[in-house]
């Protein structure tokens, strides 16, 4: 089979797609309420993965810039109004900010499309409204966390206070620039913290726009600072900084280890990490094949596979394995890959050349390891970082493509016999971020969901995220939770206050 012709591809006409590109308004660092050049004057290019052309030149922050941002955040925390105003007042400003995000939805979605190759349509339907709703959730939560009165064993009155942890460094990834920005920033704002955000160097544009909107909404100067730049410079400076109280990071397990080491070697700052994944989707003999194949395609090819919880290992029970492979292969071949501004396109280009090359290398590994390539496996065209939807069957569960996080549109299909075999295979990974189960049996769903060591289990659904539902990993997928009230706890300290009781009639 000619794999180059096995998938539909739309290279979207430039004249059409470029109509959607907004003017790039913000390319400087945002420190203490102002857009400023980096101290060094250095810049870097941000590239459109559809065309491989430069979109804009952005300020490259380094240690000196991080120092200035931390100084501003420290001043705002120690002496500014944000941690001292009521939770209700913080919530009012956050709600106003959410409204501004809604007002600029088209422009923000377009920025993430040209910067990350993300679907423009899904940006408008999912990412941008989801960010505004996350802000609203935490705006509503800002006055609903509190300490408790303690029942002491001695004649003492004791109670606890929940106090903001201080200055926070958020280091966010390139695959969901908007979603990850607000998953980190929203609960930290609600808690009363001040912060420095370091967006990924591949996708800096929307983060700078959000800094502008935060200022318009009335977030005080110094509370939210954005330092664009490279992980090895700006990111490392945040992790090593002696005056940052907490680092929240989403990205690779490799970098997560470096951040923990830096936190330990510097000021023992608290760390929360949401890291890699190799999430299994278990499909049992009683599953509806139509639903199972649709979920499996969504789980791996959504956002071109650049998603930490991608269902990159589909474990199929032997009774339906052959039929499943046949159906999913047919469906994958009909997926339209091309310009992400085209609403008919299922997914666009990988984020950059480095990521594309890494994915293609893993595909070659899969071929060498003896797995069967049933569809895809190639780059599409010569311009833009497009890769065909790729499916391997007959995959050995200990092979490289079944163990490593590829972070691209590459699916490994693995056969299993019994429920116990499926559970064992699902847990045969160093990661533990998420898992999916497709079955019509409540007993199977209950047994398997309690047996898989992962932070989120989706039963007969996938990517079922919600602002109120905690999200995070087991094992080498990290620790700490985003979303839900659990996320606010990451940005709070518990203080105990005790006073003696004299002549009290009861304790």
């Amino acid at each position: 089979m000619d794999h180059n012709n096995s998938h539909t591809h739309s290279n979207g006409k430039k004249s059409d797609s470029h109509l959607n590109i907004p003017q790039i308004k913000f390319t400087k660092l945002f420190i203490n309420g102002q857009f400023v050049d980096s101290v060094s004057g250095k810049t870097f290019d941000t590239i459109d993965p559809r065309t491989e052309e430069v979109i804009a030149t952005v300020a490259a922050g380094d240690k000196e810039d991080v120092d200035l941002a931390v100084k501003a955040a420290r001043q705002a925390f120690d002496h500014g109004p944000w941690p001292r105003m009521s939770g209700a007042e913080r919530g009012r400003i956050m709600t106003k900010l959410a409204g501004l995000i809604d007002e600029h939805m088209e422009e923000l979605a377009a920025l993430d499309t040209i910067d990350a190759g993300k679907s423009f349509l899904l940006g408008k339907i999912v990412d941008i409204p989801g960010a505004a709703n996350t802000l609203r959730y935490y705006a509503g939560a800002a006055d609903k966390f509190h300490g408790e009165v303690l029942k002491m064993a001695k004649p003492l009155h004791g109670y606890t206070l929940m106090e903001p942890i201080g200055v926070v460094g958020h280091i966010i990834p390139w695959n969901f620039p908007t979603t990850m920005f607000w998953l980190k920033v929203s609960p930290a704002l609600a808690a009363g913290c001040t912060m420095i955000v370091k967006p990924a160097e591949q996708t800096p544009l929307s983060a700078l726009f959000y800094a502008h909107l935060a200022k318009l909404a009335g977030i005080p100067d110094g509370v939210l600072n954005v330092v664009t730049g490279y992980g090895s410079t700006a990111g490392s400076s945040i992790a090593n900084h002696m005056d940052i109280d907490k680092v929240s990071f989403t990205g690779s397990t490799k970098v997560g280890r470096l951040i923990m080491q830096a936190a330990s070697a510097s000021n023992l700052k608290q760390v929360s990490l949401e890291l890699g994944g190799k999430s299994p989707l278990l499909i049992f003999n009683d599953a509806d094949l139509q639903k199972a194949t649709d979920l499996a395609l969504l789980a791996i090819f959504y956002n071109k596979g650049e998603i930490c919880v991608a269902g990159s290992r589909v474990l199929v029970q032997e009774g339906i394995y052959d039929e499943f492979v046949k159906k999913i292969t047919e469906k994958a071949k009909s997926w339209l890959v091309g310009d992400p501004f085209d609403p008919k396109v299922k997914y666009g280009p990988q984020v950059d050349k480095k990521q594309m090359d890494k994915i293609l290398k893993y595909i070659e590994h899969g071929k060498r390891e003896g797995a069967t390539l049933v569809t895809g496996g190639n780059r599409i065209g010569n311009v833009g970082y497009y890769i065909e939807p790729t499916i391997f069957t007959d995959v050995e569960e200990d092979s490289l493509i079944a163990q490593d996080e590829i972070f691209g549109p590459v699916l490994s299909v693995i056969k299993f016999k019994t429920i116990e075999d499926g559970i064992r295979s699902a847990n045969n990974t160093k990661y533990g971020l998420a898992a999916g189960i497709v079955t019509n049996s409540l007993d199977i769903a209950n047994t398997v969901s309690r047996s898989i060591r992962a932070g989120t289990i989706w039963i007969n659904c996938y990517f079922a995220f919600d602002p109120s539902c905690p999200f995070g990993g087991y094992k080498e997928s990290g620790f700490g939770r985003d979303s839900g009230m659990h996320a606010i706890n990451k940005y709070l300290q518990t203080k105990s206050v005790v006073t003696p009781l004299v002549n009290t009639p009861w304790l």
Side-chain angles (χ1 to χ4, degrees):
M1 179 170 64
D2 179 3
H3 288 294
N4 283 310
N5 295 319
S6 63
H7 293 85
T8 318
H9 176 244
S10 153
N11 253 336
K13 292 176 182 142
K14 271 194 183 182
S15 56
D16 295 339
S17 64
H18 281 224
L19 291 174
N20 296 291
I21 295 183
Q23 177 192 355
I24 308 303
K25 298 172 182 171
F26 308 106
T27 58
K28 296 183 178 184
L29 313 178
F30 187 78
I31 297 175
N32 204 25
Q34 304 295 324
F35 283 102
V36 295
D37 289 318
S38 60
V39 172
S40 68
K42 288 180 184 174
T43 59
F44 65 97
D45 292 336
T46 187
I47 307 294
D48 185 336
R50 305 169 309 145
T51 62
E52 306 182 32
E53 294 168 1
V54 175
I55 307 165
T57 300
V58 179
D62 208 331
K63 183 180 184 302
E64 294 79 10
D65 306 289
V66 170
D67 286 344
L68 289 172
V70 173
K71 186 178 177 184
R74 177 56 64 193
Q75 177 71 16
F77 185 77
D78 288 350
H79 305 289
W82 189 251
R84 288 159 190 83
M85 66 176 66
S86 69
E89 180 64 10
R90 285 198 297 271
R92 187 189 66 77
I93 296 170
M94 291 168 69
T95 300
K96 185 178 179 184
L97 177 51
L100 289 172
I101 291 173
D102 283 337
E103 286 176 28
H104 293 83
M105 186 183 300
E106 293 259 340
E107 191 168 1
L108 289 161
L111 287 176
D112 281 351
T113 296
I114 60 172
D115 227 4
K118 293 174 67 68
S119 163
F120 181 57
L121 178 65
L122 289 173
K124 292 190 292 180
I125 295 172
V126 180
D127 293 42
I128 313 302
N133 288 335
T134 295
L135 248 179
R136 290 188 182 99
Y137 175 87
Y138 287 106
D143 61 355
K144 295 177 183 65
F145 56 89
H146 49 77
E148 57 186 345
V149 176
L150 307 171
K151 183 70 172 173
M152 309 286 269
K154 299 171 185 173
L156 300 167
H157 175 57
Y159 60 94
T160 60
L161 297 172
M162 306 299 287
E163 297 185 343
I165 199 166
V167 176
V168 179
H170 300 293
I171 303 174
I172 59 174
W174 44 257
N175 58 332
F176 283 84
T178 288
T179 303
M180 297 314 306
F181 186 102
W182 291 110
L183 272 183
K184 306 288 190 195
V185 167
S186 303
L189 286 175
C193 294
T194 62
M195 62 210 71
I196 299 93
V197 182
K198 208 293 281 183
E201 57 266 27
Q202 295 88 342
T203 54
L205 297 177
S206 59
L208 294 170
F209 202 111
Y210 289 126
H212 162 69
L213 294 183
K215 173 118 179 170
L216 290 183
I219 302 277
D221 292 351
V223 172
L224 176 62
N225 305 275
V226 177
V227 177
T228 52
Y230 293 100
S232 58
T233 50
S236 176
S237 298
I238 288 170
N240 283 284
H241 207 284
M242 294 298 291
D243 204 23
I244 288 179
D245 301 298
K246 158 95 189 185
V247 169
S248 176
F249 170 75
T250 295
S252 71
T253 299
K254 179 184 175 185
V255 175
R257 292 184 199 279
L258 294 175
I259 286 170
M260 280 196 77
Q261 289 166 5
S264 170
S266 54
N267 62 342
L268 277 178
K269 60 180 67 66
Q270 289 191 26
V271 175
S272 57
L273 304 172
E274 192 259 278
L275 306 175
K278 194 70 180 177
S279 300
L281 175 62
L282 292 93
I283 299 171
F284 291 89
N285 282 337
D286 67 339
D288 177 290
L289 268 179
Q290 185 71 26
K291 176 187 235 175
T293 48
D294 286 346
L295 276 178
L297 285 171
L298 173 75
I300 184 58
F301 297 138
Y302 186 81
N303 203 55
K304 58 244 169 56
E306 292 174 347
I307 182 164
C308 51
V309 290
S312 50
R313 293 184 297 144
V314 170
L315 312 179
V316 185
Q317 202 162 11
E318 61 183 4
I320 57 166
Y321 180 86
D322 291 340
E323 187 63 22
F324 174 88
V325 167
K326 185 180 166 191
K327 270 191 187 304
I328 197 171
T329 304
E330 286 169 6
K331 286 183 179 181
K333 286 178 181 177
S334 68
W335 270 51
L336 186 65
V337 179
D339 192 305
F341 279 110
D342 183 343
K344 298 187 295 295
V345 158
K346 290 282 194 178
Y347 69 74
Q350 311 306 137
V351 73
D352 61 11
K353 185 177 188 301
K354 181 181 175 186
Q355 186 62 21
M356 179 188 71
D357 289 344
K358 175 189 160 190
I359 295 163
L360 292 171
K361 203 170 175 183
Y362 271 113
I363 290 170
E364 291 308 308
H365 272 298
K367 292 176 186 174
R368 282 201 303 273
E369 287 178 324
T372 304
L373 179 66
V374 292
T375 188
N378 300 289
R379 180 181 183 180
I380 302 173
N382 299 313
V383 178
Y385 309 124
Y386 298 94
I387 295 179
E388 294 172 329
T390 299
I391 299 176
F392 284 100
T393 60
D394 307 316
V395 177
E396 295 292 331
E397 63 177 82
D398 291 319
S399 65
L400 202 65
I401 60 168
Q403 289 293 320
D404 282 15
E405 182 178 43
I406 299 172
F407 225 64
V410 181
L411 175 61
S412 293
V413 184
I414 299 167
K415 188 190 294 186
F416 71 91
K417 290 185 178 181
T418 65
I419 294 171
E420 292 72 27
D421 288 335
I423 291 167
R424 182 198 52 72
S425 187
N427 284 328
N428 181 18
T429 172
K430 63 185 178 183
Y431 298 115
L433 201 51
I437 301 166
V438 187
T439 179
N440 287 317
S441 165
L442 187 59
D443 290 340
I444 290 175
N446 283 334
T447 298
V448 178
S449 60
R450 284 161 170 75
S451 301
I452 294 176
R453 299 195 62 219
T456 300
I457 310 291
W458 290 303
I459 299 170
N460 294 327
C461 59
Y462 211 85
F463 299 136
F465 293 108
D466 189 271
S468 64
C469 187
F471 171 72
Y474 283 30
K475 300 191 281 187
E476 290 188 28
S477 289
F479 48 83
R481 294 293 179 266
D482 289 322
S483 294
M485 293 301 285
H486 290 71
I488 290 188
N489 293 334
K490 295 193 301 189
Y491 304 108
L492 295 170
Q493 293 270 35
T494 302
K495 176 183 283 181
S496 297
V497 182
V498 181
T499 57
L501 289 172
V502 181
N503 297 326
T504 179
W506 52 73
L507 294 180

